[in-house]
Amino acid sequence: MTTEARLDAPTLVEDLLLLLFQPRSGTIAGENTLFYVLGGAVLADLALGGHLTTEGRGRVSSVAGHPPSDGLLRPAWDYLAEKPRGVQTALAAIGPALRKPVLERLIARGDIDQEPRKVLGLFRTTALRDGRTERRARLLADVRRVLVDGAEPQARVAALAALLSASGTLPQFHREIPWTSPVISRAKELERGDWGADAAAAAVTRTVTATVVNSAVAAITVLPRS
């Protein structure tokens, strides 16, 4: 991991994995569909950066000559630069390789810490615990403002909340985000791409991102959870 990579702004896929990390148990929620949800976050990040476009019928492709600079995003852009792909095909191709490097990024940033432990007094292992940056708490507050307080989200937060909802893990956040009927309804609206005006994103970028997230959510929610 280079210093340059650590100093880059966090990607959406890092934000999503950090939110899915559960500090009390040291586990990551939604492991059964994690690869696909992380893949959806990469596609959304590419769309937000203007690196991705939709081709109709749920197909996406890279914007020629406009690759992302971040190493976590570049493999997905390269894959989609070959030809347009269906979102579910893209998720299955790019998702499985993401967990390890994204977690390494979060550890390098100090958002998640590793703690060496021994199992049965013999076997060395590593446990995950909350980091020193408090970035997870800030992200969770952003999502809470949208889902609980009804705030109009910026595109990045809308995508994050939609993917979090698609992962099926929102009930596990009940202490911070009450699992109520209004919250469920708002989460489903975000999954469908109903994000509001969002002055922080250009209309075209917002539309492409919403389409990508909506397609990814649709693909994720039909996958088996066992």
Side-chain angles (χ1 to χ4, degrees):
M1 181 81 54
T2 65
T3 301
E4 182 181 356
R6 287 196 295 268
L7 293 178
D8 283 345
T11 59
L12 186 65
V13 68
E14 290 173 71
D15 287 350
L16 182 59
L17 186 60
L18 181 56
L19 274 181
L20 290 172
F21 171 64
Q22 304 294 296
R24 294 182 187 88
S25 63
T27 61
I28 295 173
E31 286 278 12
N32 290 338
T33 57
L34 182 63
F35 293 155
Y36 300 95
V37 177
L38 296 182
V42 166
L43 294 184
D45 218 342
L46 288 172
L48 281 169
H51 307 290
L52 196 68
T53 187
T54 56
E55 298 285 339
R57 296 187 179 181
R59 296 171 71 81
V60 290
S61 64
S62 298
V63 174
H66 188 39
S69 59
D70 195 289
L72 282 176
L73 307 180
R74 182 60 187 262
W77 186 91
D78 289 340
Y79 173 71
L80 294 170
E82 297 172 2
K83 65 179 183 179
R85 315 269 187 174
V87 171
Q88 188 160 341
T89 299
L91 295 179
I94 68 179
L98 287 170
R99 186 187 190 279
K100 184 175 184 291
V102 175
L103 183 58
E104 288 175 349
R105 268 290 176 94
L106 293 172
I107 292 169
R109 291 184 190 281
D111 295 329
I112 294 177
D113 283 340
Q114 287 182 309
E115 185 178 78
R117 291 182 182 175
K118 282 188 176 182
V119 178
L120 302 177
L122 297 173
F123 306 104
R124 294 185 181 276
T125 186
T126 302
L128 301 177
R129 59 186 177 85
D130 205 4
R132 309 170 297 281
T133 64
E134 298 185 356
R135 192 163 70 84
R136 184 181 183 276
R138 293 194 295 271
L139 290 170
L140 196 55
D142 289 341
V143 173
R144 179 188 166 87
R145 278 192 289 272
V146 173
L147 293 179
V148 178
D149 302 333
E152 185 172 298
Q154 293 186 344
R156 185 181 179 91
V157 178
L160 190 61
L163 290 164
L164 194 65
S165 178
S167 73
T169 62
L170 269 179
Q172 298 184 43
F173 293 83
H174 182 72
R175 290 169 64 102
E176 300 92 351
I177 301 175
W179 187 237
T180 62
S181 293
V183 166
I184 295 170
S185 296
R186 182 56 179 140
K188 293 303 178 184
E189 288 174 357
L190 294 174
E191 285 188 24
R192 294 192 297 268
D194 181 9
W195 296 1
D198 180 29
V204 173
T205 301
R206 184 172 67 245
T207 300
V208 171
T209 306
T211 301
V212 166
V213 171
N214 192 26
S215 298
V217 165
I220 292 163
T221 53
V222 300
L223 293 166
R225 306 262 168 171
S226 60

